[in-house]
Amino acid sequence: MKANNYEVAEAGKTITFRGIVQRSTSQAFFLIFCTALGMASLALVLQIQFQNLSLPLIGEPNWYLLILLSPLAGGYYWAAGDRVDEVQVKLSCNDDETENLIAVQGNDDELERLWRTLDLKEKGMVKVEGILET
């Protein structure tokens, strides 16, 4: 798991792999886009709800200026985007030592990638090839 920036943190009965998942620019831009859509929707509701509102020193507010706050969501994600991910693996066998069982615990996305990389199957499951798989 060294290729995916994972290192062995603990090695005992349970092996713990620890690695850093880097922040993604595409996720930051998607977050900015979704926040802008949310702010635009909020601005539309506020514009309809408070049509004749007049604030002192400001006058009639332009609620659509709230959209300009959306890059703050991307900045917040970018500041705290890196996270430490941990995967725990435990290997055990049955009493006859004819079958090995691997118990893996971790993040869903990382486990899915691990299963595809190592071609693992769930206990009792049989893989059925899909129509689009070659």
Side-chain angles (χ1 to χ4, degrees), residues 30-122:
F30 181 70
L31 185 61
I32 292 171
F33 174 72
C34 290
T35 306
L37 283 179
M39 290 295 192
S41 301
L42 177 65
L44 179 64
V45 169
L46 292 174
Q47 189 75 28
I48 293 170
Q49 187 67 25
F50 301 112
Q51 290 179 6
N52 298 326
L53 179 67
S54 180
L55 298 174
L57 300 174
I58 297 176
E60 289 189 19
N62 185 358
W63 297 108
Y64 290 101
L65 292 176
L66 289 173
I67 297 171
L68 297 176
L69 296 175
S70 62
L72 293 176
Y76 176 76
Y77 167 75
W78 199 254
D82 290 341
R83 63 180 168 87
V84 176
D85 197 24
E86 204 170 271
V87 177
Q88 295 178 345
V89 179
K90 183 176 181 181
L91 180 66
S92 59
C93 59
N94 63 356
D95 295 335
D96 302 335
E97 294 187 2
T98 57
E99 196 175 272
N100 290 329
L101 177 68
I102 301 173
V104 183
Q105 183 179 13
N107 187 8
D108 289 341
D109 297 334
E110 295 299 317
L111 290 181
E112 184 70 30
R113 187 173 50 80
L114 181 69
W115 283 28
R116 287 184 182 169
T117 303
L118 298 177
D119 196 30
L120 298 175
K121 296 174 188 69
E122 262 187 82

